[in-house]
Amino acid sequence: MSSLRCILNALPSPPKSCMVRQHRCLFSFPDFPSFSPLEQTHHERKIFPYRPSDLYNIVSDVASYPTFIPYCTATRILRTSERNGATLMDAEMTVGFMSFEESYVSQVTCKPYESVQAVASSSTPLFKTLTTTWRFQPAPHSSVPQTDDCGPTLVTLDLSFAFASPVHAAVSSAFLGQVSTMMVKAFEQRCLAVHG
């Protein structure tokens, strides 16, 4: 033991700047001053053989998101109000992928039978920006065969986001370009489950 102590004493001392202890929470990431998040945008459009009201009712049901929205593991409605014919809500959403799981609050604006928009609050640790907008418009009847006097409806999904952390941005770069496509596919499956 004394020989080990002699060896350690013989080593040069590290500079004082290396001796400062750093303390971070388990899931926080270091500050990268040069990191400037790039906003990514994705746009999807698809015609569904349902009425706009039927499709709006599925997307405006925020509590059901974990059953069909990819990577959404939980939702909790914190507050609901009405203004100018629109339903406004604050919803806590939890997303998970691989070993990452984060919760954030979105302000959701539901304009009956027209659109549902969710904007992540600026205090989210995961996203610098995140906006998801679903729009529902009647489509020309010749574009899709009609069934039982329903639809058709043009559904548009716009997704734009920038991660707050370079670690999240790096991990997500491999798959986030496909998320909007996955969301529309999951929405389509939900429509079939609800409306047949």
Side-chain angles (χ1 to χ4, degrees):
M1 188 63 126
S2 64
S3 61
L4 178 60
R5 189 173 291 133
C6 289
I7 293 171
L8 291 174
N9 288 336
L11 293 173
S13 297
K16 285 222 183 250
S17 62
C18 292
M19 297 176 70
V20 175
R21 274 192 167 168
Q22 292 185 349
H23 174 39
R24 290 193 319 216
C25 296
L26 182 60
F27 292 107
S28 69
F29 297 102
D31 185 24
F32 293 95
S34 63
F35 176 69
S36 176
L38 297 175
E39 186 167 276
Q40 299 181 52
T41 58
H42 298 279
H43 179 79
E44 299 285 332
R45 293 168 48 118
K46 186 164 185 167
I47 295 176
F48 288 85
Y50 306 102
R51 293 183 307 230
S53 59
D54 294 333
L55 301 175
Y56 166 85
N57 288 334
I58 289 174
V59 177
S60 64
D61 183 9
V62 175
S64 72
Y65 282 10
T67 63
F68 74 99
I69 297 288
Y71 309 112
C72 182
T73 60
T75 57
R76 186 168 58 111
I77 307 303
L78 305 173
R79 185 172 53 106
T80 302
S81 63
E82 300 284 329
R83 185 175 1 138
N84 299 329
T87 301
L88 309 174
M89 57 183 111
D90 289 342
E92 180 182 59
M93 305 202 188
T94 303
V95 293
F97 178 74
M98 295 180 1
S99 63
F100 294 98
E101 186 171 80
E102 296 281 349
S103 294
Y104 61 93
V105 175
S106 279
Q107 285 80 45
V108 182
T109 303
C110 302
K111 294 181 181 175
Y113 318 129
E114 292 177 23
S115 66
V116 176
Q117 182 177 59
V119 179
S121 69
S122 59
S123 62
T124 176
L126 185 59
F127 296 103
K128 181 152 179 80
T129 63
L130 171 64
T131 303
T132 306
T133 306
W134 294 85
R135 290 184 185 86
F136 314 96
Q137 299 172 278
H141 292 296
S142 61
S143 58
V144 165
Q146 284 192 269
T147 57
D148 299 333
D149 198 30
C150 292
T153 301
L154 173 63
V155 176
T156 305
L157 170 63
D158 291 304
L159 177 65
S160 64
F161 57 89
F163 283 99
S165 152
V167 174
H168 286 121
V171 168
S172 70
S173 65
F175 74 93
L176 270 177
Q178 303 163 11
V179 167
S180 58
T181 304
M182 292 169 59
M183 287 175 72
V184 170
K185 186 93 174 137
F187 175 68
E188 183 173 14
Q189 292 170 348
R190 179 70 172 171
C191 290
L192 286 170
V194 173
H195 297 292

